[in-house]
Amino acid sequence: MTPGERLEEARAFIARHYREAPPMDGQSCPRRQAAVAAELKRTGTYRHTPEELVFGARIAWRNHARCIGRSLWSSLVVLDFRDTSDPDTIAARTFEHMRRADRDGKLQSVMSVFAPAAPGASPCFIENDQVLQYAGYFADGEVIGDRRNIEFTRIAKQLGWTAPQTPGPFDLLPLIIRDTHGNRRLYDIPADVAREVPIRHPEYPALAELGLRWYAVPCVSGMIMTIGGIDYPCAPFSGFYMATEIASRNFADENRYDMLLPAARAFGFATQRGQDMFWKDRTLIELNRAVLESYRSARVTIIDHHSASEQYMIFDRRERAAGRPPSGEWAWIVPPQASAGCPVFHLPMTDLGAVPNFYRSRATDGVALRETYSDETHTTRVQDRMRRLRGRYRNWRRRRD
């Protein structure tokens, strides 16, 4: 961002904070905006107050167009570790984050926020897409484990990670943290952090012979959070799974575990061409049932796609009633299972690119992020037009760069 864009986002964020959740420090919005502007001019950055950080993290989740579970955005627990940039401490606090989020299976949404990016300094960040990930091996023309992580597994081995003597399909990869000097450090996942759930079916015991399992706490660690012009490249965020994420995607996708055919055979379904044209549909249904039943038997929080869709519709109605058009990316919100049977299938969606938000790269999903002013009601026609023009110019410049 240019200094002008950073200042614009900062002022807009402060104004939103005072509109939605006025802080209790007695300072007026104009005074806080002036203080932020002076700090930006002097140092090129500024520091959010603890209240601003919590508010901004929750709004970033509320604005993120690819999440179906945003009805719980206001309950997000935010842990402020902004003074931490040491990889050893980041790893230890990330593992403690996982333990806190677990709560003996009653998962809660938690975010740990570490040091932000600053002018003239390289930030510390976690390279894993998620804190817990399974390894992928390619050998003798066959793939063992998660196909998506084959390259990440190769990197981990080159950095010194020792894979099991006999590679398996569910070997947990280490946490890899890049420090402020660009060096990578590896941290093995503690056993009490990696709670896993074996997948079994109540009516098809043969499924257990496939040895399927998955971890309980999903914690996204490869995204950058941006709040009021300040980027937080190390802000792991955990929630809980929707069953289709595991059954219909992680297990069934060809570029992941590709278990659709083995699972169908375990269920005893006819898979030959012309015998049962719906064997894939039936297999996906039973896989979802197996995942749901397994997590519930283990007393680990999980949600089915129909309940998640209904919750999203509640979120959509609440946001519109509050005068905030919600962002949504249809391909990410609509579940991969029984899509037309879910109310979100028929819901028009637009990704507004509103900030605060999360992104992976300023060159891809971050290019269109900007202050939208979509929830402001007291603006003139000239102000609206100028803001649209600034937004178009910013998008053009970012695409050009």
Side-chain angles (χ1 to χ4, degrees), residues 11-21 29 55 59 62-63 324 355-356 371-376:
R11 283 175 169 165
F13 169 69
I14 298 300
R16 176 171 288 106
H17 187 204
Y18 275 80
R19 270 199 315 275
E20 293 191 32
C29 180
F55 176 76
I59 303 307
R62 188 178 78 189
N63 284 339
R324 298 187 296 259
V355 290
E371 178 55 55
T372 62
Y373 303 97
S374 59
D375 57 347
E376 286 194 11

Side-chain angles (χ1 to χ4, degrees), residues 10 29 46 77 110 125 154 233 245 261 277 281 308-309 318 321 327 338 352 357:
C29 180
Y46 70 100
V77 175
V110 179
F125 62 92
R154 185 190 66 80
E245 295 178 274
L261 184 57
M277 67 179 68
D281 306 72
S309 298
R318 286 176 178 171
S327 281
L352 302 174
N357 214 315

Side-chain angles (χ1 to χ4, degrees), residues 36-53:
V36 166
E39 191 174 352
L40 276 170
K41 185 176 181 179
R42 185 175 66 254
T43 66
T45 186
Y46 70 100
R47 184 177 175 86
H48 290 123
T49 66
E51 295 79 10
E52 288 169 355
L53 181 69

Side-chain angles (χ1 to χ4, degrees), residues 168 186-187 370:
L186 275 67
Y187 301 88
R370 66 186 185 281

Side-chain angles (χ1 to χ4, degrees), residues 6-319:
R6 196 180 305 278
L7 177 60
E8 179 189 3
E9 288 194 12
R11 283 175 169 165
F13 169 69
I14 298 300
R16 176 171 288 106
H17 187 204
Y18 275 80
R19 270 199 315 275
E20 293 191 32
M24 305 298 294
D25 58 8
Q27 190 177 33
S28 67
C29 180
R31 285 181 60 192
R32 176 58 181 155
Q33 287 176 323
V36 166
E39 191 174 352
L40 276 170
K41 185 176 181 179
R42 185 175 66 254
T43 66
T45 186
Y46 70 100
R47 184 177 175 86
H48 290 123
T49 66
E51 295 79 10
E52 288 169 355
L53 181 69
V54 173
F55 176 76
R58 290 173 175 173
I59 303 307
W61 183 15
R62 188 178 78 189
N63 284 339
H64 193 55
R66 295 181 174 181
C67 181
I68 193 174
R70 286 176 279 164
S71 62
L72 302 174
W73 68 269
S74 60
S75 64
L76 176 66
V77 175
V78 181
L79 306 178
D80 187 354
F81 300 134
R82 285 176 291 169
D83 294 327
T84 301
S85 57
D86 172 63
D88 293 347
T89 308
I90 289 176
R93 287 182 169 173
T94 298
F95 296 146
E96 187 56 38
H97 167 138
M98 297 292 286
R99 297 183 186 99
R100 176 169 180 168
D102 190 317
R103 294 196 309 173
D104 198 27
K106 297 178 181 179
L107 309 189
Q108 65 177 164
S109 299
V110 179
M111 179 187 293
S112 293
V113 184
F114 296 100
S122 296
C124 196
F125 62 92
I126 298 172
E127 290 203 347
N128 308 53
D129 284 338
Q130 292 194 17
V131 170
L132 301 182
Q133 294 182 151
Y134 292 120
Y137 311 94
F138 184 77
D140 300 325
E142 294 185 356
V143 175
I144 299 173
D146 195 337
R147 287 166 173 79
R148 187 180 67 175
N149 292 330
I150 290 175
E151 178 62 16
F152 195 80
T153 302
R154 185 190 66 80
I155 292 172
K157 292 171 73 174
Q158 285 189 338
L159 293 173
W161 177 64
T162 303
Q165 188 171 2
T166 303
F170 297 100
D171 297 336
L172 281 168
L173 287 164
L175 189 70
I176 299 180
I177 300 179
R178 192 183 289 263
D179 64 21
T180 55
H181 301 290
N183 301 314
R184 290 175 167 127
R185 301 194 192 182
L186 275 67
Y187 301 88
D188 289 328
I189 305 295
D192 65 330
V193 166
R195 178 209 286 259
E196 294 176 287
V197 178
I199 306 302
R200 298 182 175 88
H201 196 288
E203 296 178 10
Y204 298 97
L207 183 68
E209 298 175 9
L210 297 179
L212 300 179
R213 64 177 185 265
W214 207 258
Y215 46 85
V217 181
C219 184
V220 177
S221 52
M223 299 189 76
I224 302 166
M225 178 171 65
T226 182
I227 301 174
I230 304 299
D231 284 351
Y232 294 91
C234 192
F237 168 39
S238 63
F240 54 84
Y241 270 115
M242 182 169 67
T244 55
E245 295 178 274
I246 302 171
S248 303
R249 300 302 309 274
N250 299 344
F251 287 158
D253 278 3
E254 292 182 356
N255 65 339
R256 299 297 300 280
Y257 276 83
D258 195 19
M259 294 299 298
L260 203 57
L261 184 57
R265 289 171 177 166
F267 296 142
F269 298 157
T271 60
Q272 297 295 324
R273 182 181 296 273
Q275 289 184 314
D276 183 358
M277 67 179 68
F278 297 114
W279 70 266
K280 292 183 179 180
D281 306 72
R282 296 172 62 200
T283 301
L284 286 170
I285 290 172
E286 297 303 336
L287 266 179
N288 274 272
R289 184 181 171 193
V291 168
L292 278 168
E293 293 292 337
S294 298
Y295 271 66
R296 288 170 179 169
S297 295
R299 296 183 178 180
V300 174
T301 303
I302 195 168
I303 192 171
D304 65 273
H305 50 289
H306 293 290
S307 298
S309 298
E310 292 170 0
Q311 289 182 8
Y312 185 84
M313 296 300 293
I314 294 173
F315 164 76
D316 183 88
R317 288 194 292 270
R318 286 176 178 171
E319 288 301 294

